[in-house]
Amino acid sequence: MSAMSAPLNTTVEPPASRHESRLARALRELLTDCRVAALGTLGEDGLPSVSMVPYAVEPGHALLVLHLSALAAHTGNLQRQPLASLMVMQPEAPDQPVHALPRITLQVRADTPAAGSALHTACRHAYLARFPEAEPMTALGDFRFVVLHVLGARQVAGFGAARTADADELRLALHD
């Protein structure tokens, strides 16, 4: 969301065949199965703020997509500081210990694709495929699509199964 940041080339070409580890598969499944995340941004006052955001995966560019209102505090926060954190977590289940819940905390850089661009169209398609009920909101002038470029992450796939994932692995997990 910063005009100062150079766009990343995020088009991902998957290898013809690749072995996917158990942790990589768990990471991919968590990101594609869950629909909401906690977005951590920094407020104008420098204090951290966390918001719930629905998100979609845009596999062609290996990005996460948000649809945000200009009226939301997190939108202004991302405009001032495009670096943020996004946590996706498996929902709690009565028979599962909460300390073992699979989760991933992503370090991301937010950007807004230009209206009418191929990326904007791809983001709109991905978001509405996941949230068709949001279609009327796409016509509201204060809403915009925001892409999250993954920079790295910390994944917990269960008790005793934690690791750091780099941007390349994350882009492969997001790629269809």
Side-chain angles (χ1 to χ4, degrees):
M1 294 187 54
S2 168
M4 292 184 237
S5 58
L8 296 175
N9 178 4
T10 57
T11 302
V12 176
E13 297 298 328
S17 70
R18 66 180 166 100
H19 171 71
E20 186 175 46
S21 71
R22 180 183 68 81
L23 288 175
R25 183 174 52 257
L27 182 150
R28 181 180 45 77
E29 289 172 354
L30 185 64
L31 290 174
T32 56
D33 292 349
C34 292
R35 297 177 354 129
V36 296
L39 175 67
T41 60
L42 288 177
E44 192 171 11
D45 56 6
L47 295 174
S49 178
V50 178
S51 307
M52 185 283 292
V53 291
Y55 72 92
V57 175
E58 198 298 299
H61 295 87
L63 299 167
L64 297 171
V65 180
L66 308 178
H67 191 237
L68 303 180
S69 168
L71 303 175
H74 50 246
T75 305
N77 292 347
L78 289 172
Q79 287 175 320
R80 281 186 296 282
Q81 171 52 268
L83 296 177
S85 185
L86 189 81
M87 181 181 198
V88 178
M89 184 173 70
Q90 179 180 309
E92 183 179 347
D95 60 340
Q96 186 176 14
V98 295
H99 298 94
L101 285 174
R103 57 198 178 271
I104 185 162
T105 301
L106 300 138
Q107 293 82 42
V108 298
R109 182 179 56 78
D111 204 357
T112 304
S117 69
L119 180 56
H120 184 273
T121 300
C123 290
R124 183 179 195 283
H125 177 74
Y127 195 85
L128 291 178
R130 189 167 233 194
F131 303 105
E133 70 279 7
E135 199 280 327
M137 291 183 350
T138 64
L140 300 176
D142 71 311
F143 276 82
R144 67 196 66 169
F145 289 103
V146 173
V147 296
L148 300 179
H149 302 271
V150 294
L151 306 174
R154 185 74 181 154
Q155 176 189 11
V156 177
F159 190 75
R163 70 187 180 115
T164 299
D166 67 17
D168 290 335
E169 181 181 359
L170 293 163
R171 283 191 288 271
L172 283 174
L174 292 171
H175 195 288
D176 188 23

